[in-house]
Amino acid sequence: MILSQIGYYSLIFVLAISILILFFCFKQLKFLNKNYYSNLINLNFLQFLLVVISFFSLIFSFLNSQFINKTVYENSHTTKPFFYKLSGTWGNHEGSLLLWILVLIIFCLLFLFTSQKKEKKYLTLTLLFQQIIILGFLIFTLVTSNPFDIIFPIPNEGLGLNPILQDPALAVHPPILYIGYVGCSIIFSSSLAALISQNINGNWASHIKKWAIISWIFLTVGIMLGSIWAYYELGWGGFWFWDPVENVSLMPWLTLTALIHSLAVIEKKSQLKGWVIILSISTFVLSVAGTFLVRSGILNSIHTFANDPQRGIFILIFLFLLIFLSLVIFFKFHKQDLNINKITLTNDLSILINNWFMMYFLSVVLIGTIYPIFLEVINDTKISVGPPFFNKLISIFLIPFLLFMGFGASLGWLKSNFQKIYFQNVVLFFISITISSYLFLFIGDKGLFLSLIMGGSIYLFLATIRDLIKRNKQNLSQRISHFGFSLLVLSILFNSIFSEEYNFNLSVGEKFKLEKESIFFKNISMTNDKNFKKVEGVFLIKSNNNKDIILKPQLRIYNQPVIITSEADILSTLYSDNFIVMNKIDDSNMFNIRYQKKPLMIWIWISTIIIALGGTLTFFKYRK
Amino acid sequence: MSSKIKFISIFCFFVFCFFIFFQSLKESKKYTPKALMDKKIINFKMKQLDSDEIITEKDIFEINKITLLNIWSSWCLPCREEHKYLTELKMNTRLNMVGINYKDKKKNAQNFLSEFGNPYSLILVDDDGKNSINFGAYGVPETFIYNSKKKLIKKIVGPIDLKTFNEIKNILK
Amino acid sequence: MKKILILLIIMYPTISFSTENNKINKITKNLRCLICQGQSIYDSQSEFANSLKKIVEDKINENMTEKQIYKFLTDKYGEWILYEPKFNKNTYFLWLFPLAIFIFGGILIFKKKT
């Protein structure tokens, strides 16, 4: 009771302070000679304290299972392990919004602390836009999804958290993804502020680049955790389904990647200003649009939150207010760059080409995600846009993209010997063609096209390795990220081409023979765990040339709420993953077994970590 | 000047997007394809629940009667909810009701009928669900209504409720 | 380089990116499980999906082509069941929009370059 009250009222105070800050921002802008700036920082700090209190009171309500709180009642249960009680705080719509607000305010405060030397007008304007965003989300939370609603009489037991959400990767996935999204809000606010105060220059670019890279790192890791979760938990052995919810997190990532590359151009040459502003705006707009698409239930997806049309309409209005606000500001304050220099075949061109492809990939993902919505409203026709669409449109353009990337990054700002680089690239190109045509003999009937992509990615892989082992320290982080990316493409390709998958029915004691292996269903056992019953099968996989493997997939029967899930058992090695999952077939003692061998699976995660690591290294460079 | 035109056109574009999303939020997410409407009933061969006699699409229609095909199962809870409406519809002499027993055990199905009553004049068995797919069904319960010319005039996905019950009564008038 | 791009654009509609050998798996991966939340028939274990898998198997044994099977199913369930939307007047925009963006971007960049 008290906890909910504390939480609720501190949130109201956060709202009041937000309005107060907006008021002072306007005052500061009107009387530039006066200094309200210290007031603003103090208020912001107070706001931060209050939102932390509010957030912690929700956490404690979850930890102590205070079912008087409706959110706790609907999403928790006394028998749940401590860790999932904690992660239950943000595993639901209301709590995750509170977390979102918390991160927004933390970022706002961090921004103020780290950029005190900047011009006052620019800082005040940034704060102004940031508080508008905070205010929007606060009103949204308090009006439509208050996490501190109270129910009477107090229930004795909660309804429980959806078992498929009870997973370590998914427990940390939302906070990390939100940090990524919310980081974009700073980029949004500061680029609008810089536009109004006519402050867009190399200085601003290097200042905002840090925030862009932080958000980018968190988005990268967040997307990866979501993927890992899908791989482990959904039990299909896939890791990317082109599901709308996944697409929605990929879209800001694409614009952010383009933005980071373009910022490098402004840093050196003060070009592409308008374009950078557009990218900054659209990154955050896409993040909010993603929130809208996921939370409103407008899409059919695996992971839609419980939805309520009122919430959808609220975020929709907020989203379009942001869009219109930025449109007006952009058209009012943006002036065309007058001194467009000729762009020659240097790194600038390769950055433009990077942006070009990023925008193409974005357009594929965006149109594929929202087109069904448009068609349904306009024409009353319902269609699905699924993996074949995305794979087709993206894989074709992947070939030139990989080639450009391999060639482009090697140009560098360093005025290197063009002839030499040209020669190196031709050599690498021929090596990769040789390797891929050799592979083509292997995959044979699967087609010329795949080996073309393969050729491109091997070329990029070799090119990035060559760049990586260069002795100078310049752009090390970029080289590492590029290497990670090439490794990622290569492992995804190998994985999808050489994966083997077997689907069959077995009962206990039976054996299933594959070409080189046999799978023996040894036995089955049932045990009681804390909040679920566990049915565990033991499978012995004998193969001709490798050691025997034992895999133990499970069926879990959760008690609160009653849901049966199947947990895959996965043996990961550096070389390949063995993945097995079983499902009960009704009315028989047979089990449906899905056994998969997925080569280089672990390298998909490793390479994503390398990509993010590259980003992290920039900070050590900045620190110097 | 040209920047004003740009601004206005982009602005209009986003207003358009806004209304599309707004409209989409208001519409319900339930989906029944129009593809099947007014189509003739498909050809099928199914066994009866109580005997081994094979029934085809020719056998289920009665002259000048509207035919209601109801897919049900003893393990399906919503089927119990809609059962009272089916029982009431049984009284109507213009209606001929045929049941399709979906992925069920004979014994359970019979127990279900003796407990809740049998509204069907004929019950067919679809033990692997393939026939229901041929009809274009999603699962249980689902109801297809054919006119006397054997054409589909109504399809209800999910249990019959008061609203759809009244719609059926209107068809029968 | 322009030639490569033109070649790509010509290849655009003809390429299929599939590594699936098994025909049943290939088809069921391209079908949406209509009663599930965003799962394919292949991935789903629901009653509906299991029956549909059997139907697809039957149809393949009856020597129906992939296209005929899709036709058979869209006649009953509408195009919503297909994960790969057909190229028709409803979807021209869907398929061509990214391409238009690509060409537009290319023009912008090369105009700036020269």
Side-chain angles (χ1 to χ4, degrees):
Chain A
M1 178 74 193
I2 294 171
L3 275 176
S4 294
Q5 300 279 0
I6 294 175
Y8 182 68
Y9 287 110
S10 16
L11 209 55
I12 299 265
F13 275 114
V14 172
L15 180 89
I17 291 177
S18 191
I19 295 170
L20 208 60
I21 294 178
L22 283 178
F23 171 76
F24 275 113
C25 281
F26 279 118
K27 239 180 161 180
Q28 172 83 75
L29 288 174
K30 213 169 168 190
F31 309 104
L32 274 172
N33 46 350
K34 286 191 184 164
N35 196 354
Y36 294 100
Y37 194 66
S38 57
N39 285 11
L40 287 176
I41 288 197
N42 290 340
L43 277 174
N44 228 302
F45 191 70
L46 191 63
Q47 192 182 34
F48 163 73
L49 286 181
L50 283 166
V51 79
V52 167
I53 291 173
S54 180
F55 189 68
F56 272 89
S57 54
L58 188 64
I59 287 187
F60 287 127
S61 300
F62 265 91
L63 293 182
N64 298 331
S65 299
Q66 304 235 332
F67 296 124
I68 186 170
N69 182 319
K70 200 170 161 222
T71 317
V72 181
Y73 164 70
E74 280 170 354
N75 299 289
S76 194
H77 193 270
T78 44
T79 61
K80 259 187 3 179
F82 176 82
F83 183 61
Y84 294 120
K85 277 185 186 164
L86 180 68
S87 71
T89 315
W90 53 77
N92 59 79
H93 171 76
E94 289 83 2
S96 66
L97 270 177
L98 190 58
L99 175 68
W100 179 290
I101 293 170
L102 175 76
V103 183
L104 264 173
I105 292 175
I106 291 177
F107 265 61
C108 189
L109 196 65
L110 280 178
F111 179 82
L112 286 179
F113 279 150
T114 54
S115 35
Q116 285 182 3
K117 283 176 203 147
K118 298 274 161 190
E119 194 201 343
K120 289 281 175 292
K121 189 184 174 195
Y122 159 73
L123 280 181
T124 319
L125 278 167
T126 311
L127 187 60
L128 176 79
F129 290 120
Q130 193 66 13
Q131 287 293 339
I132 290 176
I133 296 167
I134 292 173
L135 191 64
F137 276 98
L138 274 171
I139 296 174
F140 175 53
T141 309
L142 286 168
V143 173
T144 70
S145 10
N146 180 6
F148 299 104
D149 271 344
I150 282 171
I151 32 174
F152 271 116
I154 304 172
N156 290 324
E157 193 49 275
L159 298 177
L161 174 73
N162 189 342
I164 63 166
L165 304 180
Q166 298 186 22
D167 176 272
L170 204 66
V172 289
H173 163 71
I176 289 182
L177 202 59
Y178 289 171
I179 294 176
Y181 283 152
V182 169
C184 301
S185 75
I186 290 285
I187 302 165
F188 171 84
S189 307
S190 92
S191 65
L192 285 185
L195 188 63
I196 294 176
S197 57
Q198 301 296 331
N199 231 344
I200 302 171
N201 47 35
N203 249 335
W204 174 77
S206 8
H207 170 62
I208 210 63
K209 198 175 175 187
K210 289 180 219 165
W211 292 95
I213 290 176
I214 291 180
S215 319
W216 181 83
I217 292 168
F218 278 98
L219 265 184
T220 312
V221 176
I223 293 172
M224 179 188 78
L225 286 171
S227 257
I228 290 181
W229 170 74
Y231 176 59
Y232 276 74
E233 192 67 22
L234 293 180
W236 317 326
F239 61 96
W240 192 265
F241 305 98
W242 294 109
D243 181 82
V245 175
E246 294 167 336
N247 294 349
V248 144
S249 62
L250 189 62
M251 285 191 275
W253 188 87
L254 289 170
T255 46
L256 206 49
T257 310
L259 178 66
I260 291 172
H261 286 89
S262 307
L263 279 173
V265 178
I266 295 200
E267 265 184 302
K268 312 268 167 182
K269 288 191 179 165
S270 280
Q271 282 178 341
L272 293 179
K273 287 178 184 173
W275 177 237
V276 162
I277 299 294
I278 292 174
L279 280 177
S280 320
I281 293 171
S282 41
T283 303
F284 184 62
V285 164
L286 284 170
S287 306
V288 179
T291 318
F292 163 69
L293 292 170
V294 177
R295 302 299 170 89
S296 65
I298 204 168
L299 296 165
N300 281 290
S301 151
I302 331 168
H303 353 232
T304 24
F305 282 79
N307 49 60
D308 169 358
Q310 194 202 351
R311 287 177 187 164
I313 287 174
F314 197 103
I315 318 182
L316 184 67
I317 292 172
F318 182 60
L319 170 66
F320 278 86
L321 282 179
L322 284 183
I323 292 177
F324 292 136
L325 176 74
S326 26
L327 262 183
V328 169
I329 292 174
F330 184 78
F331 276 93
K332 190 148 180 245
F333 291 97
H334 175 63
K335 298 193 179 61
Q336 288 282 321
D337 307 338
L338 291 173
N339 52 341
I340 299 174
N341 297 327
K342 247 172 58 177
I343 291 171
T344 45
L345 192 67
T346 58
N347 208 301
D348 290 357
L349 183 65
S350 71
I351 281 171
L352 283 183
I353 287 175
N354 157 290
N355 273 236
W356 183 24
F357 279 96
M358 285 299 154
M359 287 309 109
Y360 170 74
F361 295 141
L362 174 72
S363 69
V364 174
V365 180
L366 183 68
I367 195 86
T369 311
I370 65 171
Y371 191 75
I373 300 175
F374 277 64
L375 191 65
E376 200 182 347
V377 171
I378 295 171
N379 209 357
D380 204 18
T381 315
K382 199 157 182 164
I383 61 163
S384 297
V385 179
F389 173 83
F390 295 104
N391 287 340
K392 216 176 217 183
L393 260 58
I394 285 183
S395 56
I396 299 172
F397 285 82
L398 211 52
I399 304 170
F401 178 65
L402 293 170
L403 295 180
F404 278 131
M405 194 173 158
F407 190 71
S410 62
L411 294 171
W413 275 285
L414 37 147
K415 303 220 164 34
S416 28
N417 186 342
F418 189 74
Q419 286 284 316
K420 190 178 143 202
I421 284 188
Y422 196 73
F423 175 72
Q424 279 184 354
N425 277 307
V426 170
V427 171
L428 287 183
F429 190 68
F430 276 104
I431 296 175
S432 47
I433 286 205
T434 322
I435 299 176
S436 67
S437 41
Y438 179 66
L439 280 169
F440 176 57
L441 294 177
F442 257 105
I443 40 181
D445 57 329
K446 276 171 188 168
L448 181 69
F449 180 62
L450 276 174
S451 41
L452 277 178
I453 302 188
M454 197 58 124
S457 60
I458 291 173
Y459 168 68
L460 177 64
F461 185 65
L462 296 174
T464 50
I465 286 184
R466 178 203 58 197
D467 292 346
L468 197 63
I469 53 179
K470 263 189 204 149
R471 246 167 280 139
N472 65 54
K473 288 276 183 296
Q474 205 172 7
N475 287 326
L476 183 66
S477 53
Q478 178 211 314
R479 276 147 48 193
I480 289 177
S481 285
H482 279 201
F483 167 71
F485 182 78
S486 72
L487 192 59
L488 177 69
V489 176
L490 206 60
S491 21
I492 290 177
L493 267 177
F494 263 95
N495 185 279
S496 64
I497 295 174
F498 296 107
S499 275
E500 293 169 40
E501 182 164 1
Y502 306 95
N503 204 338
F504 48 88
N505 298 335
L506 272 188
S507 57
V508 182
E510 281 184 333
K511 203 178 235 179
F512 187 82
K513 280 209 183 311
L514 307 174
E515 250 177 66
K516 288 178 193 151
E517 292 167 312
S518 70
I519 296 167
F520 177 53
F521 193 169
K522 237 176 152 181
N523 60 50
I524 199 159
S525 64
M526 185 134 88
T527 43
N528 280 317
D529 214 305
K530 196 174 177 194
N531 56 343
F532 55 85
K533 260 188 211 159
K534 188 165 78 179
V535 179
E536 191 175 76
V538 179
F539 292 83
L540 179 72
I541 297 159
K542 277 184 190 281
S543 77
N544 299 343
N545 37 18
N546 285 323
K547 268 194 216 158
D548 295 355
I549 304 169
I550 288 180
L551 289 174
K552 297 174 179 172
Q554 301 172 357
L555 287 174
R556 287 184 184 173
I557 303 147
Y558 281 85
N559 50 13
Q560 274 307 328
V562 181
I563 290 180
I564 301 176
T565 65
S566 45
E567 304 283 314
D569 195 22
I570 302 167
L571 179 82
S572 293
T573 62
L574 286 180
Y575 176 67
S576 140
D577 271 20
N578 292 58
F579 178 106
I580 198 164
V581 65
M582 65 176 190
N583 274 299
K584 181 93 180 74
I585 299 173
D586 288 337
D587 298 332
S588 77
N589 50 5
M590 306 277 273
F591 286 82
N592 177 264
I593 315 291
R594 196 173 280 186
Y595 173 63
Q596 302 184 46
K597 288 172 77 170
K598 306 191 120 330
L600 301 185
M601 194 68 203
I602 206 168
W603 289 98
I604 295 176
W605 319 129
I606 293 177
S607 54
T608 317
I609 292 169
I610 294 176
I611 295 175
L613 192 74
T616 327
L617 276 184
T618 26
F619 285 97
F620 294 105
K621 201 175 77 189
Y622 275 116
R623 284 278 161 77
K624 264 183 214 166
Chain B
M1 188 58 209
S2 82
S3 102
K4 238 179 199 166
I5 295 170
K6 257 190 210 163
F7 175 74
I8 290 169
S9 50
I10 295 175
F11 196 85
C12 290
F13 169 73
F14 280 112
V15 170
F16 167 73
C17 292
F18 177 82
F19 279 104
I20 295 281
F21 284 126
F22 189 75
Q23 198 60 32
S24 170
L25 274 178
K26 286 203 306 192
E27 276 171 16
S28 79
K29 285 274 147 328
K30 227 176 180 180
Y31 173 66
T32 41
K34 288 158 287 177
L36 288 165
M37 279 303 162
D38 280 330
K39 291 259 169 71
K40 252 199 165 158
I41 191 164
I42 51 140
N43 305 332
F44 64 82
K45 272 182 191 158
M46 278 192 262
K47 262 206 251 173
Q48 278 202 57
L49 183 67
D50 296 318
S51 71
D52 281 345
E53 196 189 334
I54 301 282
I55 299 286
T56 69
E57 73 283 352
K58 285 170 196 139
D59 308 325
I60 62 167
F61 288 95
E62 290 176 34
I63 299 161
N64 284 336
K65 273 193 180 180
I66 283 178
T67 300
L68 184 151
L69 259 176
N70 177 253
I71 303 177
W72 65 283
S73 190
S74 65
W75 48 260
C76 131
L77 289 174
C79 297
R80 291 169 197 223
E81 283 168 39
E82 70 170 7
H83 208 80
K84 56 173 188 262
Y85 295 113
L86 291 174
T87 316
E88 208 173 323
L89 285 170
K90 191 188 174 188
M91 305 300 159
N92 197 310
T93 49
R94 284 203 59 206
L95 188 68
N96 166 37
M97 264 202 276
V98 178
I100 294 179
N101 188 232
Y102 178 82
K103 290 192 176 177
D104 210 348
K105 280 186 185 140
K106 192 174 173 182
K107 191 137 195 232
N108 294 346
Q110 283 164 339
N111 286 343
F112 180 92
L113 293 175
S114 57
E115 189 179 339
F116 297 98
N118 181 0
Y120 310 107
S121 62
L122 185 69
I123 297 173
L124 309 170
V125 175
D126 181 20
D127 45 11
D128 55 6
K130 283 193 219 163
N131 282 300
S132 299
I133 301 271
N134 274 325
F135 274 105
Y138 295 81
V140 273
E142 203 155 319
T143 307
F144 296 79
I145 299 173
Y146 296 92
N147 64 12
S148 51
K149 286 170 190 143
K150 304 183 184 180
K151 278 185 180 165
L152 183 70
I153 50 175
K154 189 162 183 62
K155 181 172 189 272
I156 301 161
V157 181
I160 298 171
D161 54 16
L162 192 62
K163 188 174 158 255
T164 40
F165 174 67
N166 286 329
E167 285 167 11
I168 297 173
K169 282 213 296 203
N170 275 333
I171 294 173
L172 293 171
K173 260 176 198 164
Chain C
M1 202 202 66
K2 269 180 192 162
K3 275 180 196 160
I4 299 176
L5 291 178
I6 291 168
L7 192 71
L8 276 175
I9 288 162
I10 296 168
M11 281 164 81
Y12 197 69
T14 60
I15 283 165
S16 88
F17 181 80
S18 173
T19 55
E20 191 59 69
N21 281 328
N22 184 322
K23 210 173 167 192
I24 300 174
N25 292 356
K26 189 184 169 203
I27 293 173
T28 50
K29 274 180 184 170
N30 192 20
L31 297 175
R32 180 194 277 272
C33 170
L34 299 176
I35 58 165
C36 320
Q37 294 268 304
Q39 264 177 305
S40 70
I41 291 291
Y42 176 82
D43 291 320
S44 172
Q45 293 287 338
S46 67
E47 296 289 347
F48 176 74
N50 287 337
S51 308
L52 239 165
K53 278 176 213 162
K54 283 182 199 153
I55 291 263
V56 171
E57 199 179 336
D58 287 356
K59 298 287 166 194
I60 288 173
N61 293 336
E62 288 168 26
N63 280 327
M64 266 176 131
T65 63
E66 203 179 323
K67 267 192 178 163
Q68 284 170 321
I69 295 174
Y70 291 149
K71 174 84 172 57
F72 171 81
L73 289 169
T74 45
D75 280 350
K76 298 191 185 311
Y77 293 102
E79 278 179 36
W80 197 39
I81 201 169
L82 296 184
Y83 263 136
E84 180 170 352
K86 284 182 195 157
F87 187 68
N88 58 27
K89 71 175 190 333
N90 278 335
T91 56
Y92 286 149
F93 190 73
L94 171 71
W95 285 99
L96 297 177
F97 173 77
L99 200 62
I101 288 282
F102 189 78
I103 293 168
F104 179 69
I107 291 170
L108 274 188
I109 288 177
F110 289 105
K111 239 169 81 185
K112 240 185 183 173
K113 189 187 151 194
T114 45

